[in-house]
Amino acid sequence: VDFDGGDLLLSATFTTQSNPSLVWIGKRDGAGGGGYERLVDVAGAPTYAELAMRGATGKWTVYASATLDSTVSYDTSSAHAIRAHLTGGASTTITVDGTSTTGTAGAASVTHLRLGGTEHAAEYANMHTAFAGVFIGDVTGDANWSDFVAWVSSYYGLTLT
Protein backbone atom coordinates (compact mmCIF):
# COMPACT_ATOMS: atom_id res chain seq x y z
CA VAL A 1 0.00 0.00 0.00
CA ASP A 2 1.40 3.40 -0.97
CA PHE A 3 0.85 6.33 1.38
CA ASP A 4 1.86 9.84 0.34
CA GLY A 5 -0.09 12.28 2.47
CA GLY A 6 -3.15 12.32 0.22
CA ASP A 7 -4.45 9.13 1.76
CA LEU A 8 -4.88 7.83 5.27
CA LEU A 9 -6.26 4.52 6.42
CA LEU A 10 -8.29 4.52 9.61
CA SER A 11 -9.41 1.16 10.90
CA ALA A 12 -12.52 0.42 12.83
CA THR A 13 -12.23 1.23 16.49
CA PHE A 14 -11.67 -1.41 19.16
CA THR A 15 -11.95 -1.67 22.92
CA THR A 16 -9.36 0.45 24.73
CA GLN A 17 -6.16 -1.52 25.29
CA SER A 18 -2.84 -0.72 26.96
CA ASN A 19 0.85 -1.41 26.29
CA PRO A 20 0.68 -2.33 22.61
CA SER A 21 3.31 -3.84 20.36
CA LEU A 22 3.48 -2.19 16.94
CA VAL A 23 4.95 -3.98 13.92
CA TRP A 24 5.65 -2.39 10.52
CA ILE A 25 7.34 -3.74 7.40
CA GLY A 26 7.85 -1.37 4.52
CA LYS A 27 9.97 1.22 2.76
CA ARG A 28 10.20 4.99 3.07
CA ASP A 29 9.86 6.61 -0.35
CA GLY A 30 10.88 10.16 0.47
CA ALA A 31 10.07 13.12 2.65
CA GLY A 32 6.64 13.20 4.19
CA GLY A 33 5.15 15.93 6.33
CA GLY A 34 5.64 17.16 9.87
CA GLY A 35 8.29 16.65 12.51
CA TYR A 36 7.15 13.06 12.98
CA GLU A 37 6.32 11.17 9.79
CA ARG A 38 3.91 8.59 11.17
CA LEU A 39 3.96 5.03 9.90
CA VAL A 40 1.56 3.52 12.43
CA ASP A 41 -0.53 5.66 14.76
CA VAL A 42 -2.65 3.96 17.39
CA ALA A 43 -4.79 6.70 18.81
CA GLY A 44 -6.58 6.69 22.11
CA ALA A 45 -7.52 8.81 25.06
CA PRO A 46 -5.75 10.20 26.93
CA THR A 47 -2.61 8.91 25.20
CA TYR A 48 -1.62 7.44 21.87
CA ALA A 49 1.36 5.63 20.44
CA GLU A 50 3.13 5.74 17.13
CA LEU A 51 5.95 4.40 15.06
CA ALA A 52 7.43 7.25 13.08
CA MET A 53 10.44 8.78 11.38
CA ARG A 54 11.65 11.74 13.43
CA GLY A 55 12.89 14.62 11.30
CA ALA A 56 14.94 16.25 14.07
CA THR A 57 17.13 13.18 14.55
CA GLY A 58 16.82 11.24 11.29
CA LYS A 59 15.99 8.12 13.35
CA TRP A 60 13.15 5.64 13.49
CA THR A 61 11.25 6.38 16.67
CA VAL A 62 8.45 5.21 18.94
CA TYR A 63 6.37 7.71 20.88
CA ALA A 64 3.66 7.68 23.53
CA SER A 65 4.06 10.53 26.03
CA ALA A 66 7.84 10.60 25.42
CA THR A 67 10.07 9.82 22.45
CA LEU A 68 12.43 6.85 22.20
CA ASP A 69 14.69 7.06 19.16
CA SER A 70 16.25 3.93 17.74
CA THR A 71 19.95 3.92 16.90
CA VAL A 72 19.07 3.23 13.25
CA SER A 73 18.70 6.11 10.78
CA TYR A 74 15.90 6.05 8.25
CA ASP A 75 16.58 6.00 4.52
CA THR A 76 14.84 5.61 1.19
CA SER A 77 17.07 2.91 -0.25
CA SER A 78 15.82 -0.24 1.47
CA ALA A 79 12.90 -1.91 3.20
CA HIS A 80 12.83 -2.28 6.99
CA ALA A 81 11.18 -4.46 9.63
CA ILE A 82 10.32 -2.58 12.83
CA ARG A 83 8.81 -3.73 16.12
CA ALA A 84 8.10 -1.61 19.17
CA HIS A 85 6.62 -2.57 22.52
CA LEU A 86 5.39 0.22 24.78
CA THR A 87 5.52 -0.86 28.41
CA GLY A 88 4.73 2.43 30.10
CA GLY A 89 8.13 2.42 31.77
CA ALA A 90 11.84 2.38 31.11
CA SER A 91 11.70 -1.00 29.34
CA THR A 92 9.98 0.18 26.14
CA THR A 93 11.81 -1.21 23.10
CA ILE A 94 12.09 -0.29 19.45
CA THR A 95 13.80 -2.82 17.20
CA VAL A 96 14.77 -1.92 13.63
CA ASP A 97 16.13 -4.71 11.44
CA GLY A 98 17.20 -6.64 14.53
CA THR A 99 18.89 -3.69 16.31
CA SER A 100 17.12 -2.95 19.61
CA THR A 101 17.02 0.21 21.70
CA THR A 102 15.45 0.22 25.17
CA GLY A 103 14.31 3.28 27.10
CA THR A 104 11.27 5.29 28.15
CA ALA A 105 8.56 6.24 25.66
CA GLY A 106 5.59 6.53 28.00
CA ALA A 107 2.37 4.59 28.31
CA ALA A 108 -0.39 4.27 25.77
CA SER A 109 -4.08 3.41 25.86
CA VAL A 110 -5.17 2.76 22.30
CA THR A 111 -8.55 2.55 20.59
CA HIS A 112 -7.86 2.49 16.85
CA LEU A 113 -5.16 2.15 14.23
CA ARG A 114 -4.18 4.65 11.52
CA LEU A 115 -1.69 3.96 8.75
CA GLY A 116 0.20 6.62 6.87
CA GLY A 117 -0.42 9.58 9.15
CA THR A 118 -2.64 11.13 11.80
CA GLU A 119 -5.71 13.28 11.92
CA HIS A 120 -3.32 16.21 11.39
CA ALA A 121 -3.01 16.50 7.60
CA ALA A 122 0.50 17.96 7.86
CA GLU A 123 1.93 14.88 9.64
CA TYR A 124 2.18 11.95 7.26
CA ALA A 125 4.66 9.43 5.95
CA ASN A 126 5.60 8.93 2.31
CA MET A 127 5.96 5.15 2.35
CA HIS A 128 5.02 1.76 1.02
CA THR A 129 3.64 -0.58 3.67
CA ALA A 130 3.81 -4.34 3.26
CA PHE A 131 2.56 -5.15 6.77
CA ALA A 132 1.38 -3.17 9.80
CA GLY A 133 -0.08 -4.55 12.96
CA VAL A 134 -0.93 -3.79 16.54
CA PHE A 135 -0.79 -6.47 19.22
CA ILE A 136 -1.83 -5.94 22.81
CA GLY A 137 1.06 -6.86 25.07
CA ASP A 138 4.45 -8.18 24.02
CA VAL A 139 4.02 -9.77 20.59
CA THR A 140 7.26 -11.72 20.98
CA GLY A 141 5.54 -13.85 23.61
CA ASP A 142 2.91 -15.06 21.15
CA ALA A 143 3.18 -18.74 20.19
CA ASN A 144 3.17 -17.83 16.47
CA TRP A 145 5.79 -15.06 16.66
CA SER A 146 8.71 -17.28 15.63
CA ASP A 147 6.78 -18.52 12.59
CA PHE A 148 6.00 -14.93 11.60
CA VAL A 149 9.65 -13.90 12.04
CA ALA A 150 10.75 -16.84 9.85
CA TRP A 151 8.21 -15.87 7.17
CA VAL A 152 9.40 -12.22 7.18
CA SER A 153 12.97 -13.45 6.75
CA SER A 154 12.18 -15.86 3.93
CA TYR A 155 9.70 -13.62 2.06
CA TYR A 156 11.21 -10.16 2.51
CA GLY A 157 14.80 -11.01 3.45
CA LEU A 158 14.50 -8.77 6.54
CA THR A 159 15.44 -9.35 10.16
CA LEU A 160 12.56 -8.99 12.61
CA THR A 161 13.19 -9.77 16.27
Side-chain angles (χ1 to χ4, degrees):
V1 178
D2 184 13
F3 294 96
D4 59 10
D7 40 23
L8 174 70
L9 176 65
L10 173 61
S11 78
T13 59
F14 46 86
T15 304
T16 302
Q17 301 291 327
S18 298
N19 301 326
S21 289
L22 309 174
V23 178
W24 181 80
I25 299 167
K27 181 181 177 294
R28 180 177 190 249
D29 293 330
Y36 290 85
E37 297 176 29
R38 286 152 168 98
L39 308 171
V40 180
D41 183 70
V42 277
T47 59
Y48 64 95
E50 67 190 23
L51 279 178
M53 295 163 286
R54 186 174 177 204
T57 63
K59 304 290 185 184
W60 299 101
T61 190
V62 62
Y63 175 89
S65 57
T67 300
L68 175 61
D69 288 328
S70 72
T71 58
V72 180
S73 297
Y74 56 79
D75 61 68
T76 57
S77 60
S78 55
H80 297 280
I82 303 173
R83 176 189 55 84
H85 179 219
L86 289 118
T87 63
S91 58
T92 291
T93 57
I94 180 169
T95 305
V96 180
D97 302 329
T99 301
S100 291
T101 303
T102 302
T104 302
S109 297
V110 299
T111 58
H112 58 273
L113 170 70
R114 289 187 191 101
L115 299 178
T118 70
E119 69 277 9
H120 309 293
E123 297 178 333
Y124 65 90
N126 182 3
M127 64 183 187
H128 276 87
T129 296
F131 176 87
V134 59
F135 183 89
I136 302 309
D138 183 1
V139 69
T140 64
D142 187 271
N144 297 310
W145 178 249
S146 62
D147 292 337
F148 181 69
V149 166
W151 175 78
V152 167
S153 177
S154 67
Y155 191 82
Y156 294 107
L158 298 174
T159 300
L160 181 64
T161 57

